[in-house]
Amino acid sequence: MKYFIISDVHGNLEAFEAVLAQIEASANGEYRIVSLGDIVGYGPDPNRCIELTTQVAFVSVLGNHDYGVLGLTEIELFNSVATKAILWTRNHLTKDGWNGLQRLKDRILISKGIATFTHASPFEPSEWHYIITYGFAKMAFSGMRTPLCFVGHSHQPIFIVEAPGGAIDIIHCQEQSTITYNTNDKYIINVGSVGQPRDGINKACYAEWDDEAQTVSVKRVAYDFKKTQQKICAAGLPTALALRLETGL
Ligand code: ZN
């Protein structure tokens, strides 16, 4: 079975639709889509992105921005631009959007004892830790009960491998990267961000997991970010959120 894993759509409909079109075009046979959350926050199309996620995702967890919009996590934890976007999103959610988001509110899910799906870290999921250093990677591995764990949150695609002796290797992804895994090691895979990449590449990012070939690939697709930029500005969201889509930072 192929699984396409998406995260951090952040209300960017153009990026989300481009990813779904590429998945549809590239998938040969049956597949499932997994969403790792942060469906909303930052972007101008929260309702449509929630609706689409509900329609296409077989498995879904929520992220810290979704929790912020729902009032389930402290808004003081966010920077000022993120807080403005969360308040804007809260004010623009329809009743269906609100209910749709509420229904997806798991923080962590485990699939067949093979993979864990969570937005931030499997270690203390409610604390939304970033896995960006060896120390945080070590903690994340200690919270894992499966060989694979798929995460989002940092908006930077990355593979982190822990050997049985505890040695950790951090592999930063190129524009397209594939790893073949074995079940002796443990793997944390950051699938990057659909709607707001922060690795210097302004293309939407997601991952493809093939559990028969035992491979995970990071994929990119170009999208019409200029259209999203115009919508962000027209919506009265902070201009910085429009500018960063162009640089992918
Ligand atoms: Zn995010």
Side-chain angles (χ1 to χ4, degrees):
M1 174 74 75
K2 280 189 178 168
Y3 296 84
F4 292 95
I5 304 162
I6 60 170
S7 190
D8 297 273
V9 170
H10 282 293
N12 184 336
L13 183 61
E14 289 70 34
F16 196 6
E17 287 180 336
V19 165
L20 293 178
Q22 181 161 286
I23 289 173
E24 181 75 42
S26 68
N28 214 341
E30 208 186 336
Y31 66 88
R32 286 176 177 161
I33 292 176
V34 177
S35 165
L36 301 183
D38 275 8
I39 303 164
V40 301
Y42 299 138
D45 284 304
N47 294 299
R48 185 69 187 120
C49 290
I50 294 166
E51 191 185 5
L52 261 185
T53 303
T54 307
Q55 286 167 2
V56 302
F58 176 74
V59 169
S60 205
V61 295
L62 289 190
N64 53 322
H65 287 253
D66 307 313
Y67 265 58
V69 167
L70 290 172
L72 297 174
T73 203
E74 289 167 54
I75 206 161
E76 292 74 25
L77 300 174
F78 294 90
N79 67 39
S80 70
V81 169
T83 302
K84 279 181 193 155
I86 284 171
L87 295 175
W88 181 95
T89 304
R90 219 181 254 173
N91 288 332
H92 288 79
L93 269 197
T94 60
K95 196 159 179 270
D96 282 350
W98 181 273
N99 290 337
L101 207 55
Q102 275 274 7
R103 274 197 293 273
L104 305 176
K105 71 180 179 194
D106 287 313
R107 281 185 216 251
I108 187 162
L109 287 169
I110 293 176
S111 168
K112 290 190 279 185
I114 302 168
T116 302
F117 302 113
T118 193
H119 181 70
S121 172
F123 177 76
E124 299 177 340
S126 60
E127 299 299 318
W128 312 111
H129 297 298
Y130 287 94
I131 311 173
I132 44 174
T133 62
Y134 284 90
F136 278 102
K138 199 97 206 145
M139 284 197 292
F141 282 117
S142 77
M144 268 171 73
R145 302 288 171 264
T146 57
L148 304 178
C149 178
F150 291 92
V151 302
H153 199 36
S154 73
H155 300 206
Q156 296 182 349
I158 218 171
F159 300 124
I160 309 173
V161 189
E162 187 187 55
I168 289 176
D169 194 13
I170 298 182
I171 305 158
H172 291 270
C173 294
Q174 305 299 314
E175 185 163 331
Q176 312 272 345
S177 297
T178 298
I179 52 159
T180 303
Y181 62 87
N182 66 75
T183 43
N184 294 324
D185 296 336
K186 284 162 110 182
Y187 298 80
I188 293 169
I189 298 119
N190 192 313
V191 302
S193 168
V194 171
Q196 196 196 77
R198 293 180 193 161
D199 60 347
I201 301 171
N202 64 9
K203 296 176 179 170
C205 189
Y206 63 101
E208 178 183 324
W209 167 35
D210 184 330
D211 70 351
E212 281 154 29
Q214 300 202 328
T215 56
V216 180
S217 302
V218 165
K219 306 268 182 180
R220 307 301 284 241
V221 58
Y223 73 97
D224 187 359
F225 62 81
K226 290 199 184 310
K227 188 171 173 188
T228 318
Q229 287 180 312
Q230 284 162 5
K231 286 187 186 175
I232 287 172
C233 295
L237 282 157
T239 314
L241 294 174
L243 294 174
R244 69 186 307 174
L245 296 183
E246 188 152 4
T247 57
L249 288 171

